[in-house]
Amino acid sequence: MLERLDKILSNYGGLSRSDAKTAVKSGRVKINDSIVKDPSIKVKDTDEVTLDGKKLTLTRYRYYMLNKPKGYISSTEPEPGDESPNVIGLFKAEGVKGLFPVGRLDKDTTGLLLITNDGELGHRLTVPGKHVDKTYIAKVKGVLNESAVEAFLKGFEFKDFVSAPAKLEITDSGTVEDGVEFSTARVTIHEGKFHQVKRMFARVGCEVVELKRITMGNIRLDEGLKPGEYKELKPEELDALNME
Ligand code: URA
């Protein structure tokens, strides 16, 4: 982390940005025991910052991209009767407190899941009305054709919402495996309602048998990550997501 001192003071010292600048200029702030008077100076993770002699705890926010494996739950609440492991358990070695998934994927869904300890970001991305396009690869039981593409584009009326136009790109249709027809497609949706993709395919008579998320806004799953593996993202990599 390399952040401006005035930003650090407002994030961790409870000061407004202008009070932070004044506090620095009036000599109330020290970095590693030396008074600093430049509010724009960059602070490192390892620096000790004090305000009026009191040490600030700099909790660094972390952002990870996880390739979620099958069989893991991503809800923040325990699911009664389901002892399956939670995705957060995959991050034990990081020793970071307060990690949580941004949004959720079903237990049998794989792919891109953002994990962070930045509650504000998590909130901003999941508040109702906040929409970030998400792309999934789906394998479904059944045959997909042009009428499904049109239906996805038109939107479906569900009891809890009406889906915005979604882009369905069929990549394979009607391949027979053990006497059963399967199709594969890429689908981009706008909202993120409970079981949304599965419910949309059900409307065109298809059952989703495999589902993998590959993008969220401008963030694309790094295909080099095996299921269960993750990598840290820089805050700038998430900025695009924030701005949408
Ligand atoms: N839509 C679904 O049906 N399931 C998911 O996990 C994500 C989107």
Side-chain angles (χ1 to χ4, degrees):
M1 173 181 72
L2 268 179
E3 292 263 37
R4 284 174 60 109
L5 180 58
D6 52 357
K7 193 164 178 212
I8 295 278
L9 288 166
S10 69
N11 285 353
Y12 304 107
L15 300 183
S16 70
R17 201 65 175 260
S18 66
D19 284 348
K21 283 193 173 81
T22 315
V24 176
K25 286 182 183 154
S26 58
R28 292 166 55 200
V29 179
K30 284 184 183 171
I31 298 181
N32 305 327
D33 273 338
S34 306
I35 291 178
V36 279
K37 295 226 166 163
D38 175 4
S40 72
I41 201 166
K42 293 279 172 40
V43 178
K44 294 196 293 289
D45 262 357
T46 46
D47 288 335
E48 186 177 286
V49 181
T50 57
L51 169 65
D52 298 330
K54 272 220 295 255
K55 188 175 170 224
L56 301 188
T57 311
L58 309 183
T59 353
R60 180 156 88 85
Y61 288 136
R62 310 280 190 123
Y63 308 91
Y64 300 97
M65 162 192 291
L66 167 70
N67 183 357
K68 180 191 169 295
K70 246 185 205 163
Y72 279 71
I73 53 174
S74 54
S75 61
T76 39
E77 305 291 320
E79 294 188 4
D82 192 343
E83 299 299 312
S84 307
N86 191 292
V87 288
I88 298 304
L90 296 165
F91 291 81
K92 268 193 205 118
E94 296 295 324
V96 180
K97 289 208 184 86
L99 288 175
F100 64 92
V102 177
R104 47 187 294 192
L105 290 175
D106 295 339
K107 188 162 116 180
D108 55 357
T109 300
T110 60
L112 177 61
L113 189 59
L114 298 177
I115 308 284
T116 185
N117 56 349
D118 179 351
E120 206 191 305
L121 174 105
H123 178 72
R124 273 203 305 277
L125 293 179
T126 52
V127 280
K130 170 80 195 178
H131 297 309
V132 175
D133 281 354
K134 301 157 199 84
T135 303
Y136 295 82
I137 293 178
K139 178 176 179 183
V140 302
K141 220 185 253 179
V143 177
L144 288 172
N145 52 31
E146 206 44 42
S147 65
V149 174
E150 281 161 24
F152 273 61
L153 200 56
K154 194 155 164 261
F156 299 101
E157 206 175 316
F158 295 104
K159 62 178 186 313
D160 50 339
F161 78 111
V162 177
S163 60
K167 186 172 170 196
L168 179 68
E169 298 162 274
I170 302 167
T171 46
D172 184 34
S173 186
T175 296
V176 179
E177 287 175 40
D178 295 330
V180 182
E181 287 175 312
F182 290 95
S183 303
T184 54
R186 207 172 15 243
V187 59
T188 302
I189 60 168
H190 196 52
E191 312 82 359
K193 299 283 184 189
F194 188 60
H195 293 332
Q196 181 169 340
V197 173
K198 292 175 183 167
R199 287 156 78 193
M200 290 168 84
F201 277 109
R203 284 294 177 90
V204 294
C206 291
E207 182 198 342
V208 173
V209 291
E210 274 173 33
L211 190 60
K212 177 180 185 181
R213 182 156 69 191
I214 54 167
T215 73
M216 247 184 110
N218 291 358
I219 308 226
R220 175 170 286 276
L221 177 68
D222 179 341
E223 290 293 341
L225 293 175
K226 297 195 185 76
E229 288 183 348
Y230 55 84
K231 70 172 193 184
E232 192 164 354
L233 297 175
K234 296 184 193 76
E236 310 85 85
E237 294 180 77
L238 289 153
D239 281 352
L241 208 52
N242 263 318
M243 303 305 283
E244 283 169 18

